[in-house]
Amino acid sequence: MSTNPLTTEPVEDLASRLEAMTDDEVFATMSELERASEAAGDDAAEEIFPRIALTESEIERRYPGELLAPYRNWKQRQPLL
């Protein structure tokens, strides 16, 4: 299992932290979770997917009706992603 705190901390803790994060921090979290998911095996991916869904929900809460467009736009602006 990864030592990445995003993938090991309790989902409830992540939910609390997401609410307090800036938009850039939420987007960076989503990007990191996506990378972790791509690198994870099937067992680890089961731990990551609920966190991705939670982060997606936070983005959609902040940007109603825009789905993940703000995240995709942010990702395109990032030179090293």
Side-chain angles (χ1 to χ4, degrees):
M1 184 83 148
S2 171
T3 59
N4 182 340
L6 283 175
T7 60
T8 57
E9 72 179 320
V11 175
E12 298 81 14
D13 292 351
L14 177 59
S16 296
R17 287 191 323 109
L18 283 171
E19 291 178 5
M21 289 180 181
T22 65
D23 290 349
D24 282 338
E25 290 171 328
V26 171
F27 296 153
T29 297
M30 179 63 125
S31 181
E32 189 172 336
L33 287 168
E34 284 179 340
R35 283 193 302 275
S37 173
E38 291 168 2
D42 290 338
D43 292 338
E46 288 181 20
E47 292 293 322
I48 297 169
F49 290 144
R51 290 163 172 76
I52 289 174
L54 182 64
T55 307
E56 286 176 352
S57 294
E58 179 64 20
I59 294 169
E60 291 171 0
R61 184 188 68 77
R62 293 177 186 213
Y63 298 93
E66 295 184 48
L67 302 175
L68 293 177
Y71 169 65
R72 288 190 298 273
N73 293 337
W74 174 87
K75 201 170 177 182
Q76 288 178 343
R77 293 188 307 265
Q78 302 307 306
L80 300 176
L81 291 179

